[in-house]
Each structure stands twice: as C-alpha cells, then as structure tokens.
Amino acid sequence: MRIPLFHKRPKPPTLTGAQTTHRTQKIETLKAGRLASLALSFTSRIIESIGARLAGSESCRLAAAEIEKELASFCDTAEQSSFELESGVHSLPLKVAVILYPVLVLLQLIGLPYLSFMLFLLYGWYAGKELYLYKPLSIRFLKRDEGVNVHAVLQPKGPVEQTILFTSHHDSAPLYSYNRLDRLTYAKKVGLPVFLFLGSGLLSMVQILSELVSGLLLLPNVPSIASLILLLLFLFSTPLLLGLWNFHSETGSPGAGDNLVSVGMIIQLARYFHWKRSCNSPLSSTRLVFCSFDAEEMGLRGSREWYRKNRPDLDSALVLNFDCVYHSDQLTFLERDVNGHQMLDSSLARRCAEIAQSMGYPATCESIPRLSGGTDAAEASRAQLKACTLTSVGWDDRTKPSVYHTEDDTVDSIDPKAVEMALSVAIRLVELVDQKKLWEADLPKQEKQKEEESDPKLVFSKLTHR
C-alpha cells in the first residue's frame, strides 16, 4: 500500500540479488478492464481482416492460424489439430424433409400409411439427434472439409496437480435466409412448411387407426373421399416446403459475441498469467489449457473431436467455457446444456456464480432454454469432466436485442463491462484453484476490480527511515 508523505520523495533503496535482473520494463496495466479492451480489439481486427468464419471454411482456418499465433506468444506450447468435417451436415435434415414430404403423402395415397408413419418416425429420430440432442450420425456421402481446433498450454512452476481449461469457439454461424422479425415471411417460408410436414405424419397416424378398424392396414387400398381430398391438398402443397431447402444462407454472421470475443478472452487470460509468471508470481501447481474449437455451430463437432483425442491427459480437469458474452446484467453459469438435456457440473457452476457474487457481480445459475442450442461445455461433460459455461445473453429479456446468428453480431453489440466481469471471474477461479481454496465454505469478498496489478513483493538491502 502506498503511504502519502509530505516530505520530498526519498531515493529508492537498491534491490538485492536476483531482483536486480527482475523484469522492469513498463507493462500495460493488466487489470480486467484493460484485458477486456484488448479482447475486443482482437475481435474487431479478426472480423475486419477475415470476416465471417463458417465451420470448415478457409476463413475459419485463417482465423485458427491467427489464434495459434497469439496464444504462442504467451504459452509454453500452442498447436492446431485438424479433423474431418461433413460439409453442410447441420442443414441436411431440412433438405431431407423437403424430399421426404411428398413420399410420405404418396404412400398414404396408395394405402400404405404404416410405411409412411415408419419413415416419419425414422426421420424424427435422425433430426432429433442432429438438431436437438447434438449426437449426430456420420454421413459418409457428404463432401469432406477440414476443421481446425487450436489449443495452448501454460505450465505451472511446480508439478501439475490440477488443470483448468478455458474454452471457446472461433467459427461463426451461417445466416438465416429469413428474418425472424419479418413474421409474415418467416411464417410462410418456415412455419408453414414445418406445419405441413408434421401434418403429414399426423395424417398417416389417423389413417392407420382408420384402417385398423376396417381391417385394411396391411393391404393396398384407396383412402376415403375426405382423406383423398386432404392428401391431394397436402401433395399439391409440396412446393411450399422449398423454403426449407435454403434455410441457411451461404454467408455467415460476423460472430463477434458468438463467439469471437470469447476467443479474445482466452488469449488475454493467457497474456495475464504469462505476465504474472514473468513478474515472478507463477502458478504453483495449476496447468492452464486454452482451447478454441471449430464447428461449434455444426453440432459441437470440433470440441467433440478434440475431447476424444485429448481426454486421457485431462483427468480431474475443470472446464470453464465462454459463449455469447454480451450483457453485463445477464451473467449466467449454465447447469444444463444442449436444449436443457445435457447435465453440466452444477457444483462448479454454482461455485463460479458465488465467486462472481463475492466480487460484487450479479450472477445466476440456469439451464439453457429449450430450442436455444448448445455449447462446447456439453462435450466436456460427455467426456466426464467438470464443466460449465459462462454466458451473458438475454434469452428472456425482450428489451435486449437478440443479435447472435445475425449480421448485427458485431463488436458494437458487446458490453465491454460484461467481458471485464467474465475475465475477472476466470482469474479469480484460477487463483482459488491454485491456492486450493475453491471448495472452501466461505469465499472471501473481493473488490469488483483491482485498480492495478501490484509488483511482486520486493526485498530491500537496507531500510530507510524518515
């Protein structure tokens, strides 16, 4: 602590021993606000120089190379790892629905509703695994692209006793061809086709019940006049489903908040702990791993592949994933992921929320809402690691714009304070783990933000008195 003196400032005493070689150049003040600014600057630079980053694209691979270069400046090791990625696999269920719809109706027209209903159920199983549960099937006939994950490691001073992973993703989502705010167009191009497809399945079930009563279920037959008219109307409506074929655009979102700023955050966390080590304050026994995944927007494929390859080296690791950091009053730690179906580690999520609250930040623990997708923490949890996601997006707050997966997902949509808060919580998490105090009953109260990182304790060769 600096004590104000009324007298002339004395000459500083000389340092002892090894401290004369201690790093003395002025480093930018590495407080959370400054780190947040650097993360946002990185985000802006990548978007301006590379643009949208669809999974498996050349622009996504260029972004991965930039991320590896940044992390290599602060970590002991940094590397890329490639994996095969099926091109367009996440939009395939919608295209299959367009093709399958007239087949379902025709089967009912010739009196084979049970075949129609079986195909409908089979499609529902496939689409549910791909789009809702994020447990996709391997589709061999699709073109293969190259996805690229990046990870870097910062080792502690002593033997590794615990590991923390900070994860994010650098790919951006494809834009939707139809604006959800244009309700009429969206209802016509998306809502009506979905209604027709579901209706075809319902009609097959009704026809099955009818034929069970009449004893014609397994025999080719002609439906009743009323059913025939209704089925013909459904068949002639087939062109209306073509809107689903191009539901996903060929261009991508800028993806600033979802999720490039999170990549900037893990880079700045690496910078911070590298700086601490250069100031003779390294972590004693905690290894830090910083990961940026590809293909999160295609059903978490990048993180799934990375954990499959690297899980044996990550026993007892903690995983804090960053995704969609936008609003400073919406700090949330997810306890359930993938449309609410995948359990994350509740104890870790609640402890992170308590850390945030001890620093004066409002924070909650929640499940991701239904039909809101998933995050890479789900794959960490499926790999039997303690994982949760830090997010700050206003799912239920209609006063806040919903910009993710749109062309408005730019740096301007991100509250710098939200980034600062997320970084502060992450830094405090590492400190508590390294001090072996993470699971203590009572967390010490922390200031919201340190004004400046103090230098390591200095030892003087002599003392001066006034």
Side-chain angles (χ1 to χ4, degrees):
M1 182 176 69
R2 181 176 298 172
I3 302 175
L5 300 176
F6 294 97
H7 301 284
K8 181 172 66 173
R9 189 175 183 179
K11 181 180 178 181
T14 56
L15 302 177
T16 61
Q19 288 188 336
T20 58
T21 61
H22 176 73
R23 185 176 179 175
T24 58
Q25 68 262 37
K26 179 174 175 59
I27 301 178
E28 296 171 313
T29 304
L30 291 183
K31 53 188 179 182
R34 178 59 183 164
L35 293 174
S37 177
L38 291 170
L40 290 167
S41 296
F42 167 84
T43 304
S44 180
R45 176 169 63 84
I46 295 299
I47 290 176
E48 290 175 2
S49 61
I50 297 177
R53 305 161 308 284
L54 293 177
S57 65
E58 179 63 24
S59 59
C60 206
R61 291 190 287 272
L62 289 174
E66 286 294 317
I67 294 163
E68 180 194 21
K69 179 180 176 182
E70 292 283 339
L71 286 171
S73 302
F74 308 117
C75 296
D76 299 307
T77 60
E79 62 181 277
Q80 300 181 33
S81 56
S82 300
F83 62 97
E84 278 196 345
L85 181 65
E86 302 100 326
S87 178
V89 67
H90 207 45
S91 62
L92 185 62
L94 298 179
K95 295 182 178 181
V96 171
V98 175
I99 298 171
L100 185 61
Y101 173 80
V103 176
L104 298 179
V105 178
L106 285 171
L107 285 172
Q108 294 174 62
L109 282 170
I110 62 174
L112 298 174
Y114 60 93
L115 287 180
S116 177
F117 191 61
M118 288 174 61
L119 284 175
F120 180 79
L121 291 179
L122 183 62
Y123 172 81
W125 172 77
Y126 156 64
K129 285 181 69 69
E130 178 67 50
L131 300 178
Y132 194 72
L133 298 177
Y134 288 14
K135 294 182 177 180
L137 304 173
S138 177
I139 310 297
R140 296 185 178 275
F141 63 82
L142 291 175
K143 173 189 172 184
R144 292 307 202 249
D145 288 326
E146 180 189 10
V148 178
N149 294 322
V150 181
H151 75 270
V153 180
L154 187 63
Q155 299 287 358
K157 178 181 179 180
V160 175
E161 297 180 11
Q162 53 270 325
T163 300
I164 301 178
L165 278 72
F166 292 114
T167 65
S168 59
H169 69 89
H170 51 267
D171 64 309
S172 62
L175 291 173
Y176 300 139
S177 298
Y178 315 109
N179 188 345
R180 285 174 293 178
L181 298 179
D182 185 355
R183 296 186 179 182
L184 182 60
T185 301
Y186 198 79
K188 178 181 176 181
K189 297 293 187 180
V190 181
L192 181 59
V194 170
F195 171 79
L196 289 171
F197 188 85
L198 295 177
S200 68
L202 180 61
L203 281 176
S204 65
M205 186 169 62
V206 171
Q207 193 172 344
I208 288 173
L209 295 175
S210 175
E211 293 188 5
L212 274 174
V213 173
S214 61
L216 299 174
L217 179 60
L218 299 179
L219 300 174
N221 61 85
V222 178
S224 65
I225 296 298
S227 296
L228 185 62
I229 293 173
L230 189 57
L231 287 171
L232 287 174
L233 287 175
F234 268 70
L235 184 62
F236 293 146
S237 299
T238 298
L240 296 177
L241 273 79
L242 294 177
L244 294 180
W245 189 272
N246 295 315
F247 179 78
H248 291 106
S249 170
E250 295 296 324
T251 58
S253 163
D258 184 17
N259 192 34
L260 194 55
V261 71
S262 296
V263 178
M265 287 163 55
I266 68 168
I267 291 171
Q268 299 316 315
L269 287 170
R271 176 198 290 269
Y272 176 81
F273 287 104
H274 174 268
W275 173 74
K276 293 287 285 185
R277 184 167 70 177
S278 73
C279 292
N280 290 340
S281 293
L283 297 173
S284 61
S285 59
T286 303
R287 175 178 58 180
L288 300 182
V289 181
F290 307 94
C291 302
S292 182
F293 301 125
D294 197 351
E296 191 269 358
E297 301 290 358
M298 290 181 65
L300 316 181
R301 281 172 164 78
S303 57
R304 182 179 303 116
E305 182 66 18
W306 191 88
Y307 284 114
R308 185 187 67 80
K309 290 180 179 178
N310 295 282
R311 175 62 182 87
D313 301 323
L314 300 173
D315 285 339
S316 303
L318 301 179
V319 182
L320 180 59
N321 181 61
F322 299 109
D323 206 334
C324 291
V325 177
Y326 287 104
H327 308 298
S328 59
D329 60 346
Q330 299 285 335
L331 191 61
T332 303
F333 296 90
L334 297 182
E335 296 180 297
R336 300 178 72 94
D337 209 333
V338 185
N339 298 301
H341 282 275
Q342 177 63 47
M343 287 295 301
L344 301 180
D345 193 82
S346 295
S347 60
L348 178 60
R350 292 173 185 177
R351 179 52 50 152
C352 287
E354 291 169 358
I355 291 172
Q357 291 162 3
S358 74
M359 303 176 77
Y361 302 141
T364 61
C365 294
E366 296 179 8
S367 167
I368 196 170
R370 306 284 180 182
L371 303 180
S372 293
T375 76
D376 287 316
E379 290 303 323
S381 182
R382 289 169 178 171
Q384 306 303 311
L385 298 176
K386 289 181 176 290
C388 71
T389 288
L390 183 157
T391 185
S392 57
V393 57
W395 282 302
D396 300 323
D397 189 347
R398 296 187 180 276
T399 65
K400 296 206 168 31
S402 179
V403 300
Y404 65 97
H405 292 201
T406 74
E407 59 188 6
D408 296 324
D409 188 8
T410 61
V411 175
D412 293 338
S413 66
I414 303 169
D415 183 353
K417 184 65 176 177
V419 180
E420 178 183 336
M421 290 165 61
L423 287 167
S424 299
V425 172
I427 290 170
R428 184 59 181 153
L429 173 66
V430 174
E431 292 172 347
L432 289 171
V433 170
D434 199 51
Q435 296 165 9
K436 299 180 174 59
K437 295 181 179 180
L438 179 63
W439 305 111
E440 287 188 358
D442 297 318
L443 290 174
K445 293 289 183 182
Q446 295 291 311
E447 297 177 0
K448 284 189 178 181
Q449 175 180 307
K450 295 180 180 179
E451 285 301 317
E452 184 173 327
E453 290 294 335
S454 58
D455 289 333
K457 185 178 179 181
L458 301 178
V459 180
F460 299 110
S461 58
K462 61 181 181 179
L463 298 177
T464 58
H465 304 277
R466 293 190 63 88

